Amino acid sequence: MSGVLSVEDVQDEQVEGQGQSELIISSSNLTQLNDLLSRVSYTSTVYHIKTSDLVIFSFEDHLAMFPITIKRQSVPVLFDPGNDINSQVTIITKTFLRYEELNILLNSIRKFYPKIKILIADDSIQPRTVSGDNIEHYIMPPAKGWFAGRNLALSQVETKYFLWVDDDFVFLKDTRIESFVEIMEAVPELDILGGSVIGDPPYFILEYDEGDEEEGGCLSRIYNQFHQPLPGFDDCVLVDGVVNYFLARTDAVRRVGFDPFLKRVAHSEFFMDGLGQLLVASCERFTIGHQGHRFEKKYSHYRTQTDADKRKKLSHHFFKNYLKYVKF
C-alpha cells in the first residue's frame, strides 16, 4: 500500500498502528466501533498526479476491499461562455488546392453569419491569398496533411465551441449553428454533436474487442447504427462517430487531438482515438450542403491513396491502437 491510515480524535488503547499501513481498531461496543470506522482516513505517502491504491478491511470472517483514487488537484481552464453565436463558436476548416470550393463555402457562411470568426489551415502547393473580415488564413508547409491542418486550426480557437466543416461544403438556410449550441448547453457532458451532410451516412458506431496482450484487439466501423437516443432529444442519437460537420467543445477535442501521421485520407481515426473519452451524438435534422465534385488532376493525385499508402496506414493503426484487425 502506498499510503497510511489513521483515526482522528481517538484514545491510544482503541487503535494500534496510527499513521502506518496496517491499522487495528478494537472496541467492545458496536456503536463505538462504527464511530471509529467512520473517522478512518487515508493519506498517500507517494506523490503522483493520478494513481490508485487498495485498502483491505477485515472483521471476523468478513473481508472487504476499498479502491482509493489518488489524484493531484488541477486548476480549471474555462472558456468565456459568450453572449451570442459569434462569441461562442469559431468555424474551422482545412483546405488544399480547392480555392474555388473554399470561396463558395466562405460566401455561404457570410450570407448567414456575417461576423463569425473563420479559421483556415492551408497546405496547398502554391498558396493563394484568402482574405475577408474576421477570417484568419494559416499557411502550412506544402502537402503537410489533413490531420496536421486540423490540429493547426484547432490550436487557434479561442471560443468554447468550434464548428468543423470541409472546404467543399455550403451553408443552407437550414444550417443553423444556434441549434447545435442549444443542445450542447443543455447536455454539458456532451463533447461532440454532428449534423448531416447531404448524400453521406450521418453517423456510425465502433465495435471494439480489446483482445489479448499477445495479439491485440479488433475494431469495426458500422454505419447508421447508434447506441440509444440522446435523453431529452429523441430526434438525436448517441453514437461513436459523425460526419465532417460537427460542433465540439474545444477543450475536449484538444485532449484527444488529430494524429498528424494521417495526411491524405482520415476521419474515423479521430473517433477511434477518442473512443471512451468523447461523448458523441448526432442530429440528422442539422443539415449542410455538399458542393458537386469537380475533378482536378493535381488534387486527385495527392488525395488518392496508393496501395502502399493503405498498407502503411493499416500498419500504423495496428501498432498505435494495438489492433490485429480493423475494418473501416
Side-chain angles (χ1 to χ4, degrees), residues 223-242:
Y223 278 112
N224 296 321
Q225 289 195 22
F226 59 89
H227 297 295
Q228 66 179 54
L230 179 65
F233 300 90
D234 291 340
D235 57 343
C236 303
V237 292
L238 289 168
V239 296
D240 292 323
V242 294

Side-chain angles (χ1 to χ4, degrees), residues 15-44:
V15 177
E16 296 179 27
Q18 282 273 46
Q20 299 178 32
S21 60
E22 184 174 335
L23 199 63
I24 300 175
I25 302 174
S26 58
S27 176
S28 59
N29 184 291
L30 185 59
T31 300
Q32 187 182 56
L33 181 61
N34 284 331
D35 176 64
L36 291 169
L37 289 171
S38 71
R39 288 187 272 123
V40 174
S41 66
Y42 171 98
T43 303
S44 175

Side-chain angles (χ1 to χ4, degrees), residues 91 102-103 106-107 109-110 114-120 130-138:
I91 298 176
L102 177 64
N103 285 326
L106 296 177
N107 289 334
I109 293 173
R110 285 294 177 243
K115 296 182 179 180
I116 200 166
K117 178 178 279 189
I118 304 171
L119 305 180
I120 304 164
V130 179
S131 60
D133 293 339
N134 216 14
I135 293 177
E136 296 180 5
H137 183 206
Y138 295 93

Side-chain angles (χ1 to χ4, degrees), residues 245-294:
Y245 171 50
F246 58 82
L247 188 83
R249 296 186 193 277
T250 303
D251 58 343
V253 174
R254 279 179 178 162
R255 286 194 293 269
V256 176
F258 299 93
D259 185 352
F261 177 87
L262 303 170
K263 298 181 180 296
R264 298 193 180 195
V265 178
H267 177 63
S268 301
E269 294 82 356
F270 161 69
F271 293 102
M272 287 167 52
D273 290 345
L275 192 64
Q277 301 183 63
L278 299 172
L279 186 63
V280 184
S282 175
C283 297
E284 286 190 68
R285 60 187 169 90
F286 300 162
T287 59
I288 195 169
H290 202 173
Q291 300 173 39
H293 288 286
R294 177 177 61 90

